[in-house]
Amino acid sequence: MTSGTMAKTPSRTVPSRARAHNFLVIISLTTVFLFGGTIVGWGALSSMLQSEGYYSYFCELPDPAQPCRKQLQALNGAFTAASTFLTLTSYLNGWLVDNVGPKTVTGIAGCLCCLGLLGIGLTKVTAWSNHAEAAIFLVTMALAGFGGAMTIKIGWLAPFMVPSCFTLLMAMNSSMFDAGTMIYPLLKVFYDLGVPFADLFWGYAMLGCICYSLLCIAWRMNEKELADLRAAAGGEDPQGPEQDRPLNQRGLLAQLMSFEFAAMFSYSIIMIPRSLMYLGTFSVINRKIETEGTLSSLNIVNSITSFVLPFGLVAVPLIQLCMRRLGTMWTVQVTTLIGVVYNILQLVPSLYVQLVTVVMFTVWRAFLYSTISSFNGQIFGVKTMGRIQGLGFLVAGLANLLNGIRVDAAIHSGDFTSLLVENLAMTIPFPFVFYLLQRQRAKQAPSPASSAGSEQPVPVSCREDFRPATGSPSAMMSMTDARFAEKISEEDTEEISTTASTGEP
């Protein structure tokens, strides 16, 4: 019997899986960058909307160059309504990703996003009454943002397909969302060059159709492997009582009752509103510093700050290094420390120092979202991460509404020191909480002898990032990976053996 007939023909070879993974990762990150933060780059979009006369009927003498207070309030109200709607749908998005599957959810997200963008353009090519135009704009803005938020949730699944690059891809997914705030400023450049407003958004929608179609194809190529990975996560053939299984192989309710969930849930609902508060208040705080006479170039500082914020992507190598060298728990501690540093720097009444502050904040924000995603993915697993993360973002968004009251009080009093000190004080418990969590997980960790048989499968891409299961941040997924390996390792081994004996790829 020849070597070519000794082994059965594998359904998916190692190179073909690598190509499918690479295609998925590239398209997923590109789509998150282009459409994940559809409503985040509000400053540039608001400027275009003012020039187009949205809500100008609130002004007695409409002037695109000098929008009145009521027009600005109406625009900010539209943004607040759309962003609040997205907050309230965070858990729904996570549930859809966990239960419906990424290919179908990608189609839904693409339809929502493209319809929303087409609708925004439509408001300026058809004669509408003032109130009808405002209502259509608000609905289409919410649809586009809803689709973008769903896109981010889909992006959380791609790193599971390449476990050796898990933390790197999680960090890049979060950073691509931040980098997406550059999209509307780029569109405004074309708008200022004379491209009609409607044409811009229709072209943007057509680009969305292409990207989402490619992402559907990418998930179609990988959906069986994802289904196998989810099946290997302990749901279909549980081994022993649930309380004796690793947390990522337990049911959602058991995960919600864990110390791990309580720790990261509380961390999320404190830290995420902090990051949103900085984005909404840095210009006001800088203006307060400028009035105290430390520096007169407020506009330059604010412009530099707005330019720096989208570049959290540059922190990805540092995030990956921390995850690889320190592990997830210690990376949470590093994230908290960076947050303390930027918070203290913001208390310094110098605009020059605030340039350092925005750099620290940008690094911290990249660490924050990457660490939360990596923690939830590694600890709770591929089957429930969407709902776990969605629940955290939902409550964090609601908590952010309470921050609005605190910010209004600070603006009214003209003193932001108390607000910043309160934010600093909120971080004090977390180093102790995660230290206790780390000790608990160390006590519960299996002995080397008992885990010797649970090695990760050789990854089919990003080989240079692979480390043994006991020493990498992906170790928490090693048992699931090992069980998944049973489904593919025989095919891979036989394919490699066939290639070695015949000399053919």
Side-chain angles (χ1 to χ4, degrees):
M1 183 179 295
T2 65
S3 60
T5 60
M6 287 178 62
K8 64 181 180 179
T9 302
S11 58
R12 288 286 298 278
T13 64
V14 174
S16 68
R17 284 206 310 275
R19 287 192 293 269
H21 293 169
N22 292 338
F23 179 58
L24 171 63
V25 166
I26 292 171
I27 295 300
S28 179
L29 291 176
T30 300
T31 307
V32 169
F33 168 66
L34 291 173
F35 302 98
T38 308
I39 67 170
V40 177
W42 177 252
L45 177 59
S46 179
S47 178
M48 289 189 284
L49 296 175
Q50 292 169 29
S51 298
E52 289 294 317
Y54 281 86
Y55 297 106
S56 61
Y57 61 88
F58 282 111
C59 303
E60 295 181 3
L61 297 173
D63 181 2
Q66 295 291 333
C68 66
R69 180 176 57 85
K70 289 184 178 180
Q71 181 183 4
L72 293 177
Q73 288 177 335
L75 287 169
N76 288 332
F79 172 74
T80 301
S83 58
T84 301
F85 173 73
L86 301 187
T87 296
L88 297 177
T89 58
S90 293
Y91 184 80
L92 173 61
N93 287 339
W95 184 90
L96 288 171
V97 170
D98 283 346
N99 291 278
V100 178
K103 184 182 71 173
T104 302
V105 178
T106 296
I108 297 172
C111 289
L112 291 172
C113 194
C114 293
L115 285 174
L117 295 173
L118 286 171
I120 292 174
L122 185 64
T123 58
K124 282 302 172 185
V125 297
T126 306
W128 304 97
S129 67
N130 289 331
H131 293 289
E133 179 185 276
I136 293 172
F137 170 72
L138 181 59
V139 171
T140 54
M141 185 74 178
L143 286 177
F146 190 10
M150 202 175 289
T151 303
I152 300 169
K153 308 299 189 294
I154 300 165
W156 292 339
L157 292 181
F160 286 98
M161 307 307 297
V162 192
S164 60
C165 297
F166 181 83
T167 55
L168 173 64
L169 294 179
M170 278 294 185
M172 291 188 67
N173 189 70
S174 299
S175 298
M176 283 297 181
F177 168 73
D178 282 342
T181 59
M182 295 187 294
I183 297 300
Y184 280 135
L186 290 175
L187 291 180
K188 189 176 184 300
V189 171
F190 290 102
Y191 178 76
D192 292 339
L193 292 174
V195 179
F197 181 84
D199 292 351
L200 272 179
F201 278 85
W202 287 351
Y204 194 15
M206 293 302 102
L207 178 61
C209 291
I210 296 172
C211 287
Y212 281 103
S213 297
L214 292 175
L215 189 56
C216 283
I217 294 171
W219 275 116
R220 176 67 180 86
M221 296 167 62
N222 290 273
E223 63 179 349
K224 184 181 185 302
E225 192 171 341
L226 178 65
D228 290 341
L229 182 60
R230 282 176 158 168
E236 295 186 359
D237 185 22
Q239 299 178 353
E242 186 176 52
Q243 65 270 18
D244 296 334
R245 301 201 301 269
L247 195 56
N248 62 1
Q249 295 177 26
R250 300 180 195 175
L252 177 63
L253 183 59
Q255 292 178 342
L256 294 178
M257 299 297 291
S258 66
F259 184 21
E260 287 86 346
F261 174 77
M264 185 48 70
F265 180 74
S266 59
Y267 194 76
S268 299
I269 64 176
I270 294 296
M271 297 301 184
I272 291 176
R274 275 185 67 202
S275 72
L276 297 175
M277 181 184 290
Y278 179 88
L279 294 174
T281 60
F282 75 84
S283 60
V284 182
I285 293 176
N286 287 353
R287 182 176 296 278
K288 173 66 175 176
I289 293 173
E290 190 271 340
T291 59
E292 294 176 358
T294 56
L295 188 63
S296 60
S297 53
L298 175 64
N299 290 335
I300 296 176
V301 171
N302 283 345
S303 297
I304 294 174
T305 298
S306 299
F307 176 79
V308 170
L309 286 172
F311 287 93
L313 189 65
V314 299
V316 167
L318 182 58
I319 297 170
Q320 175 71 352
L321 178 65
C322 286
M323 286 286 188
R324 183 186 300 174
R325 300 296 184 188
L326 303 178
T328 305
M329 296 297 176
W330 279 109
T331 303
V332 174
Q333 305 285 33
V334 171
T335 303
T336 304
L337 177 61
I338 298 173
V340 169
V341 171
Y342 103 77
N343 210 150
I344 292 174
L345 288 174
Q346 203 174 14
L347 287 165
V348 179
S350 167
L351 287 181
Y352 287 122
V353 174
Q354 297 316 307
L355 293 177
V356 180
T357 302
V358 69
V359 173
M360 295 300 298
F361 171 81
T362 302
V363 173
W364 174 74
R365 181 175 164 86
F367 263 83
L368 176 67
Y369 285 97
S370 301
T371 302
I372 291 174
S373 300
S374 296
F375 182 97
N376 289 333
Q378 292 172 3
I379 298 294
F380 301 111
V382 66
K383 294 186 68 174
T384 58
M385 180 192 175
R387 284 165 286 175
I388 293 286
Q389 190 116 321
L391 182 60
F393 278 59
L394 167 62
V395 179
L398 295 175
N400 188 53
L401 297 178
L402 299 178
N403 274 347
I405 301 174
R406 298 173 57 218
V407 172
D408 287 342
I411 293 175
H412 181 73
S413 66
D415 181 15
F416 290 91
T417 301
S418 298
L419 182 69
L420 298 176
V421 171
E422 289 170 4
N423 286 345
L424 195 58
M426 290 179 185
T427 68
I428 292 175
F430 290 113
F432 301 99
V433 169
F434 282 93
Y435 174 73
L436 293 175
L437 178 58
Q438 186 176 24
R439 286 180 59 94
Q440 173 183 292
R441 291 185 64 83
K443 292 178 181 178
Q444 296 174 348
S447 63
S450 64
S451 61
S454 297
E455 296 183 359
Q456 290 179 326
V458 176
V460 297
S461 58
C462 273
R463 286 187 174 87
E464 66 276 10
D465 285 340
F466 176 69
R467 296 292 183 274
T470 56
S472 81
S474 299
M476 299 172 193
M477 296 190 294
S478 61
M479 296 187 68
T480 297
D481 291 337
R483 299 181 66 191
F484 175 53
E486 296 174 1
K487 299 178 181 289
I488 63 172
S489 60
E490 181 180 352
E491 294 180 352
D492 290 350
T493 302
E494 291 173 349
E495 173 67 11
I496 294 171
S497 298
T498 303
T499 301
S501 61
T502 62
E504 299 176 357

